[in-house]
Amino acid sequence: MTTLAHRNPAPPTQAALLKAHTKAQVLEQLRIPVAVISSTVFPTLALLFFVIPQEMVTSNPITALTAIAQLALFGVMSSFLFNYGIGIAEERANPWNSYLRTLPAGPVPSTIARALTAMMFAFFALIPVLILGGLMTSAPEAFTNGELSWSRIPLSVVVWLFCGLPFLALGLFIGYLCTSKVAIAVTQVVFFPMAFAGGMMLPPIMFPDWLNTFSLFLPSRAARDIAVQVLSGQGMHASSVLCLVAWTLVLGGLALWANRRDQGRRFR
Amino acid sequence: MKVPALVAERTSEATSNSASNPTEQRTTAVLASVTNASKSFGNTTALSGINLDIHAGEALGLLGPNGAGKSTLISLLAGLRRADSGRVELFGRNPLDPKARLQLGTTPQATSVPQTLKLRETVDFVAAHYPDPVPTAELLADFGLSKMAEKQCGALSGGQQRRLLVALALVGRPRLVVLDEPTTGLDVDARETLWQRLEEYRRGGGTLLITSHYLEEIQALASRVVVIDRGTVIADGSVDEIRSHVAISKVSFKSQLPASFFESFPQAVSAATSAKGITTVVTQDADATVRQLVREGVEFTGLEVHAASLEEAFLALTRHSSEAATETAKDSA
């Protein structure tokens, strides 16, 4: 039966651990269909109800692409914030998580696995947005008439996922700081104003000046501008990349601080 | 490094780990050691300069009242927390280093399995952390869980979940298994099954550190008992030694007098009268108590004298914690 180790084979590699953690997390998520469905269909529904009926937006390929990119990033942001913020907070309350910390793996595999899982579900949210956008708006014309290269589409998907990084860090920060009930509330309070002020619901062209200026300092706006630029070839500001990187560093630092603080405080 | 030496020594000690011979075990390799470790949470001192060595092949039972520091001590050994001061070593390394935990098996305290993962997936997942895990099918069969392999963990009964958790502690073929309250809330059958599994693990040369509220469990599984109270070790020895250390006996008889009368006897620790009218005096000197009974001219019938259970010894130890501590110091000098 369960005898002691006789041989002394090498311990599993980080890659093997990462694979095991990712698999477990993906399976856990997939078995809670409500969570999967709500995060994947939300951006698609927003596209269907708020963008498709507006003839003005859908008839122009560039404005259609802008709307698609905005909502795609909206999906990425919600997936990252909710998956991480609430997921981590729930996990902290669960003794299973303490058990996992006694296994011979450092914090890296589970943290990266969580990022990969969040990216995977965000990716699922992007697919229907792209399909619907392709079928029901004039967006494909920008590619068929040769104005834009088709390669922008796969590139956009990758860039969108990376644009979500500051929100991933923000989710971690909230998750390590709050209990799961508080985390749900805080995430929602942070999410909607940030999405709106970042120009993910209404394009920033429609903002009053003061809001536009304020918006340019937000990570959601920077991410939105980059997301729109990479798909439609316009919309980015000189400060966008700098702003996004700065926010990623700041929020990443806060997430790390919250993680340390949490480890120090926790006891039973 | 220490590790190769440990492996070489293991074969010789595996045969000598009989429960009755703790002194011999102390000569075997040290798998884990805690040296002068302290840990506080805010104003609460959980551990104050605790020392403990865990030797290969022994089954160490950790006893102590709630809040004595048992869970904190285990969390230091399992790499969940860092000691404020002092040294903690696991297989010659810092337990916070994941490599130190390759030969460690633990279970969580509460039933907290991931609800939506299937049993097989859960075991596979944990097994993926070890170089040479027990095949999942084999492990599930050993714990009588084969039929449940494709069920989600959330669908298991409390007893099945508990069996799964202990199985998980063994999946990596660990040399040291730490079990924190492994059978809390289990029925007698399920507990017996788990005890059997742990006995098999021990016979295979495994080392066990176990905490339990069930003293019966410690008595059944442990070859060495360490009692901690207020963050330090107050007694350390075999089950028999711990009992004789406090020299506790039970003197029981039928009498008309109230239990409180006997509490004032010299040497008496406590006295109580059962519903059936049998008075039991827990005493540090049964002979003196019986002599006193006779001298006082107490009317009594059905006199019996028993050695105390571990539970009674443990209660006496923690009650006289400060005295016991000086005694331990004297013994080791």
Side-chain angles (χ1 to χ4, degrees):
Chain A
M1 102 125 219
T2 49
T3 45
L4 303 181
H6 299 294
R7 296 169 276 144
N8 211 355
T13 58
Q14 289 288 312
L17 291 173
L18 178 59
K19 191 179 150 217
H21 279 265
T22 310
K23 188 181 163 197
Q25 289 187 12
V26 168
L27 284 173
E28 274 191 81
Q29 289 274 330
L30 277 178
R31 300 236 169 89
I32 312 171
V34 180
V36 178
I37 292 168
S38 66
S39 72
T40 49
V41 300
F42 204 53
T44 312
L45 289 180
L47 184 72
L48 198 59
F49 293 138
F50 301 122
V51 177
I52 307 283
Q54 300 185 57
E55 182 68 38
M56 242 178 70
V57 177
T58 55
S59 60
N60 178 337
I62 296 301
T63 51
L65 284 176
T66 304
I68 291 169
Q70 279 171 198
L71 284 172
L73 196 73
F74 180 79
V76 170
M77 182 173 148
S78 88
S79 172
F80 280 13
L81 263 180
F82 284 95
N83 198 321
Y84 255 88
I86 297 162
I88 292 271
E90 276 171 359
E91 211 173 65
R92 280 195 306 129
N94 186 346
W96 175 251
N97 187 50
S98 297
Y99 167 70
L100 292 184
R101 285 172 52 215
T102 72
L103 296 178
V108 176
S110 65
T111 310
I112 297 183
R114 193 162 266 284
L116 288 177
T117 311
M119 284 189 173
M120 202 188 95
F121 285 102
F123 180 71
F124 288 158
L126 295 180
I127 302 297
V129 171
L130 286 173
I131 292 175
L132 208 63
L135 292 177
M136 306 194 57
T137 71
S138 61
E141 285 170 25
F143 300 98
T144 48
N145 69 15
E147 198 180 318
L148 295 171
S149 156
W150 286 100
S151 65
R152 278 183 182 266
I153 297 174
L155 179 69
S156 297
V157 170
V158 174
V159 171
W160 292 341
L161 291 176
F162 277 96
C163 282
L165 283 177
F167 308 108
L168 203 143
L170 180 61
L172 279 172
F173 176 59
I174 295 171
Y176 281 120
L177 222 54
C178 308
T179 62
S180 63
K181 275 183 189 158
V182 177
I184 293 173
V186 170
T187 308
Q188 276 166 347
V189 165
V190 169
F191 175 65
F192 285 103
M194 186 111 99
F196 181 81
M200 289 183 203
M201 289 154 165
L202 288 176
I205 296 177
M206 300 170 76
F207 285 179
D209 278 348
W210 67 268
L211 181 58
N212 188 44
T213 312
F214 169 72
S215 166
L216 285 170
F217 289 97
L218 291 177
S220 49
R221 173 65 186 275
R224 178 254 173 220
D225 287 351
I226 296 170
V228 169
Q229 172 83 33
V230 71
L231 186 66
S232 70
Q234 49 189 269
M236 201 160 92
H237 288 74
S239 62
S240 296
V241 173
L242 186 71
C243 178
L244 193 72
V245 169
W247 272 107
T248 306
L249 292 178
V250 168
L251 292 169
L254 284 173
L256 204 65
W257 169 79
N259 173 282
R260 292 268 160 82
R261 179 174 174 274
D262 174 57
Q263 305 241 327
R265 271 160 39 123
R266 208 148 16 127
F267 64 92
R268 55 167 190 241
Chain B
M1 300 296 300
K2 259 167 134 183
V3 179
L6 292 178
V7 175
E9 259 177 276
R10 206 175 72 227
T11 37
S12 60
E13 102 242 345
T15 50
S16 67
N17 57 12
S18 78
S20 58
N21 207 343
T23 31
E24 191 178 331
Q25 281 171 28
R26 308 283 173 95
T27 64
T28 62
V30 176
L31 298 189
S33 70
V34 177
T35 314
N36 200 21
S38 296
K39 179 80 191 170
S40 301
F41 300 112
N43 293 327
T44 319
T45 304
L47 296 173
S48 50
I50 197 166
N51 289 294
L52 184 69
D53 282 349
I54 300 168
H55 298 257
E58 72 184 357
L60 190 130
L62 202 55
L63 281 179
N66 282 334
K70 286 174 301 195
S71 290
T72 308
L73 179 62
I74 283 182
S75 71
L76 293 186
L77 283 168
L80 286 172
R81 294 204 184 90
R82 192 187 299 270
D84 295 340
S85 64
R87 263 177 88 79
V88 182
E89 277 195 4
L90 183 66
F91 299 106
R93 292 172 187 269
N94 185 334
L96 294 165
D97 174 1
K99 280 196 203 105
R101 306 194 297 264
L102 274 169
Q103 294 177 300
L104 174 75
T106 68
T107 57
Q109 187 158 15
T111 49
S112 62
V113 289
Q115 298 294 309
T116 55
L117 280 190
K118 292 175 181 168
L119 241 72
R120 181 181 49 74
E121 291 162 351
T122 309
V123 176
D124 281 346
F125 169 57
V126 175
H129 291 79
Y130 298 98
D132 181 25
V134 179
T136 300
E138 192 184 313
L139 188 76
L140 289 176
D142 279 338
F143 281 83
L145 292 168
S146 296
K147 277 188 210 145
M148 313 292 293
E150 297 302 320
K151 287 245 165 70
Q152 292 188 10
C153 293
L156 298 181
S157 72
Q160 288 166 333
Q161 288 196 358
R162 194 59 75 152
R163 261 187 282 165
L164 171 65
L165 296 177
V166 176
L168 290 178
L170 296 176
V171 69
R173 302 184 199 273
R175 289 178 62 201
L176 173 63
V177 167
V178 176
L179 300 173
D180 200 358
E181 309 278 346
T183 61
T184 305
L186 281 194
D187 59 43
V188 178
D189 275 356
R191 207 198 296 180
E192 290 283 336
T193 317
L194 274 189
W195 288 0
Q196 270 174 26
R197 287 290 156 287
L198 294 174
E199 265 308 309
E200 275 168 37
Y201 165 73
R202 288 254 293 131
R203 275 202 300 276
T207 307
L208 201 59
L209 172 63
I210 190 166
T211 74
S212 180
H213 283 313
Y214 294 105
L215 295 146
E216 192 193 349
E217 184 160 72
I218 300 283
Q219 229 156 343
L221 291 175
S223 56
R224 177 182 161 205
V225 178
V226 167
V227 184
I228 62 175
D229 191 26
R230 290 181 214 124
T232 53
V233 172
I234 58 167
D236 181 351
S238 68
V239 175
D240 291 340
E241 276 167 1
I242 292 293
R243 256 193 308 208
S244 64
H245 190 63
V246 285
I248 290 271
S249 305
K250 286 188 297 185
V251 178
S252 58
F253 46 83
K254 278 196 170 181
S255 162
Q256 299 300 321
L257 289 164
S260 56
F261 175 78
F262 304 101
E263 260 174 5
S264 59
F265 276 26
Q267 317 292 337
V269 176
S270 66
T273 307
S274 75
K276 287 179 182 165
I278 296 170
T279 302
T280 302
V281 180
V282 178
T283 168
Q284 285 172 310
D285 187 342
D287 301 329
T289 302
V290 173
R291 276 197 294 274
Q292 181 87 5
L293 276 177
V294 176
R295 232 186 347 257
E296 298 263 344
V298 175
E299 289 281 326
F300 63 86
T301 55
L303 179 73
E304 284 181 40
V305 179
H306 296 285
S309 72
L310 193 54
E311 180 159 18
E312 286 144 341
F314 159 64
L315 283 175
L317 267 175
T318 47
R319 188 166 307 161
H320 306 295
S321 175
S322 51
E323 297 160 41
T326 39
E327 237 177 293
T328 316
K330 210 164 55 195
D331 283 0
S332 57

